[in-house]
């Protein structure tokens, strides 16, 4: 065994350089802050005419939601996510109770009951439910780690996801219901469920969609409301329907929103129309501050602005997938997988529906769309990612390994 050289007593011993260890993922944080800034800048131009006499109404509120969400994100990142596993039953119960509370005492708006009015904002249980469902289902799969490939595990998990999904769809909130099912499917995939089970679930989805949208209506059975069917199929025939004049009143033309959204995005061209924007400020694009906020980005800032937003989403999702890989345990990997699935599905569907390649389902654009429940819930999910990241780096340090960012 080689001996260490004798050093004079006054000479300091050489220590290996320590790697910089931040208490959070810097790139993940950068993506979140960047999207928050993009949201504020976009809403400033898109909503200035929505509230007469108060052009900054939505901007100020969105800024407050982002600030509260960032505080919640850093608070959650300081927690040990592994401790949440023992509370899976309580978390699932809260998920169901909050959704049922909305159905019981929620405020009706635009034909649906999706939120409970609170003093500062409207609480949408379906948004918070996304994070609660990820935690509950992840803990369930970890508890059945030795039975992940069994049929009973797949069936029980899908039933556990289907119950809140159906309650949310009954509000009606089809978009959030679809997010719930996508989260469950991704968790099964990452956990290592049988390929036969995953293929059977995918086939079941296709058959169910064909039955609900085609076979049942042809037989005179309408499982969805007429406007829901029209919104889900409108992107298949975008040229139908008359052009509507600019107004804040709702329209019954199911193709109107997508058609005007595509016009707005196309008019932005390379660098956007800036202060000369007309489609969004003149209310040709309904819900341009919520579901169709990407149309506001495309018109005002063009390809450059839209590309920047998509790059930030790419960074956000790539970091979520990175956290999935570096997690210290299965529970952390599953939570990261659920968050990544939630973000990917919402970004793809929302952007897709604004450019006419996906049906209108009411899915918000994370951190960009206006809304306290959506913003704070997304930042809570990012806080879980930060917690997993911190725990993974701490675990690697104890083992003498160095994880790269």
């Amino acid at each position: 065994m080689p001996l260490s050289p004798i050093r004079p007593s006054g000479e300091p011993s050489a220590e290996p350089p320590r790697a910089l260890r931040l208490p959070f993922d810097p790139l993940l944080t950068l993506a979140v802050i960047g999207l928050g800034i993009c949201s504020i800048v976009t809403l400033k131009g898109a909503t200035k005419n929505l509230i007469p006499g108060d052009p900054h109404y939505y901007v100020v509120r969105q800024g407050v939601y982002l600030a509260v969400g960032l505080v919640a994100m850093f608070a959650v990142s300081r927690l040990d996510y592994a401790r949440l596993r023992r509370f899976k039953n309580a978390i699932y119960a809260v998920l169901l109770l909050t959704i049922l509370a909305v159905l019981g005492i929620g405020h009706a708006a635009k034909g649906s009951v999706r939120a409970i009015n609170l003093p500062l904002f409207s609480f949408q249980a379906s948004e918070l439910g996304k994070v609660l469902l990820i935690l509950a289902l992840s803990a369930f799969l970890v508890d059945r780690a030795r039975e992940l490939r069994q049929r009973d595990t797949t069936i029980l998990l899908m039933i556990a996801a289907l119950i809140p999904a159906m309650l949310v769809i009954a509000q009606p909130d089809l978009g959030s219901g679809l997010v719930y099912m996508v989260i469950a499917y991704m968790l099964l995939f990452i956990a290592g469920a049988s390929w036969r089970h995953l293929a059977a679930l995918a086939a079941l989805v296709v058959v169910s969609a064909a039955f609900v949208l085609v076979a049942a209506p042809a037989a005179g059975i309408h499982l969805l409301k007429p406007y829901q069917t029209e919104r889900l199929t409108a992107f298949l025939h975008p040229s139908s329907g008359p052009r509507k004049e600019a107004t804040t009143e709702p329209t019954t033309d199911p193709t109107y929103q997508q058609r005007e959204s595509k016009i707005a995005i196309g008019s932005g061209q390379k660098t956007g129309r800036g202060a000369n924007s007309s489609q969004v400020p003149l209310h040709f694009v309904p819900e341009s501050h919520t579901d169709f906020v990407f149309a506001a980005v495309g018109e005002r800032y063009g390809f450059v602005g839209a590309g920047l937003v998509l790059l930030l989403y790419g960074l956000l999702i790539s970091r979520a997938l990175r956290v999935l890989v570096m997690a210290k345990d299965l529970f952390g990997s599953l939570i990261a997988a659920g968050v990544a699935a939630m973000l990917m599905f919402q970004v793809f569907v929302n952007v897709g529906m604004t450019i006419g390649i996906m049906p209108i389902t009411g899915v918000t654009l994370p951190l960009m769309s206006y809304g306290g429940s959506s913003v704070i819930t997304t930042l809570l999910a990012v806080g879980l990612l930060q917690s997993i990241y911190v725990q993974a780096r701490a675990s690697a340090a104890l083992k003498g390994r160095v994880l790269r960012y």
Side-chain angles (χ1 to χ4, degrees):
M1 178 178 179
L3 300 176
S4 301
I6 300 176
R7 297 179 181 275
S9 59
E11 182 178 343
S13 59
E15 295 183 0
R18 293 185 177 181
L20 178 63
R21 295 174 186 167
L22 297 176
F24 55 85
D25 184 340
L27 294 179
L28 184 61
T29 306
L30 175 64
V32 166
I33 294 175
L35 287 170
I37 294 173
C38 289
S39 175
I40 295 295
V41 172
T42 302
L43 290 176
K44 182 179 179 180
T47 63
K48 61 183 179 181
N49 298 325
L50 289 180
I51 305 295
D54 193 356
H56 302 300
Y57 176 86
Y58 289 99
V59 174
V60 172
R61 284 175 170 256
Q62 186 78 343
V64 172
Y65 299 150
L66 286 167
V68 172
L70 286 172
V71 172
M73 181 188 79
F74 284 111
V76 172
S77 70
R78 299 299 89 195
L79 300 176
D80 183 359
Y81 69 91
R83 295 183 179 181
L84 298 174
R85 178 184 163 192
R86 71 185 69 171
F87 303 111
K88 63 180 184 301
N89 293 330
I91 291 173
Y92 189 75
V94 171
L95 165 64
L96 296 181
L97 289 175
T98 52
I99 296 175
L100 290 173
V102 171
L103 292 173
I105 61 175
H107 172 69
K110 297 182 180 180
S112 61
V113 182
R114 300 183 184 180
I116 299 175
N117 281 343
L118 298 177
L120 298 179
F121 72 105
S122 295
F123 170 66
Q124 285 187 274
S126 60
E127 291 292 337
L128 179 61
K130 297 170 185 176
V131 174
L132 298 179
L133 185 70
I134 290 170
L135 292 172
L137 295 186
S138 298
F140 170 79
L141 286 174
V142 172
D143 289 346
R144 297 180 65 92
R146 296 180 180 274
E147 304 169 344
L148 291 175
R149 299 184 64 84
Q150 293 186 8
R151 182 176 57 185
D152 290 347
T153 299
T154 300
I155 293 175
L156 290 174
L157 183 125
M158 294 308 296
I159 291 175
L162 187 62
I163 293 173
M166 295 304 296
L167 292 174
V168 166
I169 292 174
Q171 294 180 356
D173 186 358
L174 178 61
S176 295
L178 293 176
V179 174
Y180 287 8
M181 301 311 296
V182 168
I183 288 172
Y185 191 87
M186 174 63 90
L187 293 181
L188 283 173
F189 174 76
I190 296 299
S194 170
W195 281 101
R196 291 183 299 173
H197 299 166
L198 297 174
L201 288 173
L204 180 61
V205 170
V206 173
V207 172
S208 299
F211 176 77
V212 171
L213 297 176
V214 181
I221 303 173
H222 297 280
L223 300 177
L224 296 177
K225 296 180 180 180
Y227 81 90
Q228 291 178 316
T229 303
E230 291 175 351
R231 292 182 67 183
L232 290 174
T233 58
F235 77 105
L236 299 175
H237 41 84
S239 299
S240 64
R243 180 178 174 83
K244 176 176 169 287
E245 298 297 329
T247 176
T248 57
E249 296 299 321
T251 175
T252 57
D253 178 9
T255 67
Y256 172 75
Q257 278 183 294
Q258 285 188 327
R259 186 169 61 249
E260 296 300 325
S261 174
K262 289 189 290 184
I263 292 174
I265 294 173
S267 66
Q269 298 187 16
K270 293 181 180 179
T271 57
R273 301 180 64 185
N276 296 321
S277 301
S278 60
Q279 291 293 116
V280 170
L282 295 180
H283 312 301
F284 278 102
V285 183
E287 308 300 333
S288 59
H289 61 303
T290 53
D291 296 352
F292 281 80
V293 69
F294 192 75
V297 175
E299 181 185 23
R300 195 170 186 87
Y301 302 104
F303 177 81
V304 174
L308 174 62
V309 170
L310 293 178
L311 282 175
L312 288 172
Y313 278 121
L315 177 60
L316 177 64
I317 293 170
S318 67
R319 296 311 298 174
L321 295 175
R322 171 61 177 157
V323 172
L324 185 161
V325 173
M326 65 186 292
K328 68 177 183 179
D329 54 23
L330 178 61
F331 187 49
S333 293
L334 291 175
I335 293 175
V339 174
M342 179 186 76
L343 295 173
M344 285 189 290
F345 182 77
Q346 290 192 213
V347 172
F348 178 76
V349 171
N350 183 279
V351 174
M353 73 183 189
T354 61
I355 61 177
I357 64 172
M358 292 294 290
I360 301 174
T361 56
V363 173
T364 58
L365 191 58
L367 299 178
M368 285 292 295
S369 294
Y370 171 80
S373 296
S374 175
V375 169
I376 294 174
T377 295
T378 302
L379 289 173
L380 284 174
V382 175
L384 288 173
L385 293 178
Q386 296 281 19
S387 176
I388 298 168
Y389 175 87
V390 171
Q391 295 291 325
R393 290 186 65 82
S395 177
L398 290 176
K399 297 177 181 178
R401 295 186 291 114
V402 176
L403 292 177
R404 295 183 177 181
Y405 289 110

